[in-house]
Amino acid sequence: MLRVLVSIKQVPDADDLRVDPVTNTLVREGVPAVINPPDLHAIEEAVRIKERYGGRVTVITMGPPQGEQALKDALALGADDAFLITDRAMAGADTWATSYTLFKAIQKLGGADLYLFGRRAVDGETEQVGPQTAKWLGIPILGYVKEIKEINERSLVAVRATETEEEIVEVPTPVVMTVLESANKPREPDIGSLIRAKTSKVIKLSKDDIQAEQNKIGLAGSPTKVIKVHPPPKTRNPEIRNWKDPGSLDWLVEKIRDSLRSEEALSGGYVKPSPKVKVRGEVWVYLDHVGGKANPASWEIMAEGRRLADLMGTNLSGVVIGEHVDSVKEEAFKHGADKVYHGLTKGFNHYDNDVFTQALSRLIKKYQPEAVLFPGTRNSRELASTTAISVNTGLIADCTSFEVDEKGVLNSTRPDFGGKEMSTIICPTSRPVMVTVRPGVFRPLLIEGKGETIREEVEDLFTRFKVLERKSLERRNVLAEAEVVVGVGRGIRDKSNIRMAEELATKLGGVVGVTKPLADAGWYPKDRQVGQTGTTIRPRLYIALGVSGAVQHLVGISGAKRVISINLDPDAQIFNNSDYGLIGDIFEVVPELIRRL
Ligand SMILES: Cc1cc2nc3c(=O)[nH]c(=O)nc-3n(C[C@H](O)[C@H](O)[C@H](O)COP(=O)(O)OP(=O)(O)OC[C@H]3O[C@@H](n4cnc5c(N)ncnc54)[C@H](O)[C@@H]3O)c2cc1C
């Protein structure tokens, strides 16, 4: 009988989270808790597997006693039994301690053939717990699965999708998979299931029941620690005028022209900061590549890595795994590297979690860097997760800013709940500190450089993955690359009116992006959605037309050099997050702007 285990998380309902205007912190009291929405796709996939092949679906969660409700909801969706891993000592766990706890619980339950996780949790967006649990279990991780094609007695075939490629992979079972939201549409429970679930029993397991070691669970067992929770920083100093004020159009035209002119001054050259300390190890940046072609996200992280290495008084090194990666190494020196480590994996040029984890772990153990930064691409996040368990250290996810304190400790800051709140996290004792960095936040540096390459051939490699087919998605993200973006929100009223925004964008040599409601309504392609669940953009100029400025939209535009907004409502949130704003009707202002520019 096929045993499928789904691991879920209970999270506060993001729609109900509000920021207290006085304290500027998130109000969590009274906010209903729900199953983390991406986990619904993992439950759905498990139930479909049961319907197709027979078997039993078990659902587990680690969390406080209230987690019982999430498990009952999962039972109503078709799971057969449910276990709540709960103990006061487990509170405050990071992903290392959480995945260890899940591993111990799974051992206690006797294991399964398939383990399914949602791709991400909407509160922390780490994408780490699935791969890390796989590493503890010693079984393969197949992340980002969009389709399970067939399940055989000792293996399965599934389609895995990254930002740039799709692979059909055969892997032996047991295996952990993280399920993409595009894999299926979760069902609604029927009345009968809801009633049955209400009366079914959720079994509770404590730390002693699962024989978890006290020093590996909860806050005490977590290698990373949150040292500060704070509101998002105010990065703009808005100047707002009214369309009715004389001269306001001239002012706006001048501000738009000025935003496009001031590029040189804004990007500037790199000014090396004075070192605060001198740390022993180096700062490493993992160089993500697709078959030898560098992923540009690595160069963004190199720029920030350069600053951090200089603050720590140490070298900045790139680290690349694979074969035929000469162009990646050369480019690394042009983007600020002092050194490049090359883990040569003969016969493996493409990312393979088994091979790349072995190679990177060996390099880290041998050269003992202080910090390893990874671009937040799917492959890199998965690799960072399994490597952190392999080298036994903390991994901080999805960071958007960094500082180095007087003792040389890296302070990494990341948005929670899509940017409603920021957390600053450190890894006090384990080394290296490992961090994944959100793409689109930092600007690459161009420094003409040359340096030493250290090549290590990694031997005795093994893999459990067999790639049956690989195809490139050739997906170019025009939004992420655009220098000017005209953002359109619900103020546009009708699909046909978007033409006006396109005309403005064309005048400025830019492209149109939209808010989520417009993409959801099919008024514009989904890949043009700006924001938390769309694209993070970093243009020279972002012009928001009839956009209210919801936090999920704002996190996508925080990297824009200039934000100019036009909105009827003087209290619209977008104005607080703009450099310049005009209170007015877009249907009056934009045609005039197009005429004048
Ligand atoms: C989990 C989650 C993820 C999300 N991800 C994203 C995301 O990635 N991206 C995103 O954008 N949203 C996202 N959202 C949705 C987000 O919360 C907001 O609902 C959305 O951004 C609002 O879009 P809007 O500004 O177009 O519409 P509205 O909030 O309705 O604002 C319309 C604005 O237009 C103005 N207006 C109306 N008429 C005119 C006029 N004639 N002239 C000038 N101004 C006018 C109004 O004053 C108003 O400010 C997400 C939500 C959730 C829960």
Side-chain angles (χ1 to χ4, degrees), residues 360-369 390-391:
L360 183 58
S361 303
R362 285 187 213 173
L363 289 175
I364 289 174
K365 282 177 187 162
K366 179 164 179 186
Y367 293 100
Q368 303 192 354
S390 167
V391 302

Side-chain angles (χ1 to χ4, degrees), residues 15 490 515 529-530 532-533 546 548 552-553 567 585-586:
D15 287 348
R490 275 211 288 228
T515 60
Q529 180 189 315
V530 176
Q532 181 195 337
T533 45
S548 60
Q552 297 91 351
H553 188 78
N567 198 302
D585 186 332
I586 51 172

Side-chain angles (χ1 to χ4, degrees), residues 258-280:
D258 184 51
S259 307
L260 298 176
R261 262 198 304 269
S262 51
E263 153 75 348
E264 294 313 313
L266 284 168
S267 65
Y270 175 65
V271 181
K272 184 175 171 167
S274 319
K276 286 191 166 181
V277 281
K278 188 154 178 44
V279 300
R280 237 175 337 127

Side-chain angles (χ1 to χ4, degrees), residues 2 4 45-57 78-80:
L2 199 58
V4 186
E45 205 56 35
V47 175
R48 287 186 189 189
I49 290 170
K50 181 175 74 169
E51 287 166 353
R52 193 165 148 198
Y53 296 95
R56 197 164 178 81
V57 175
D80 299 294

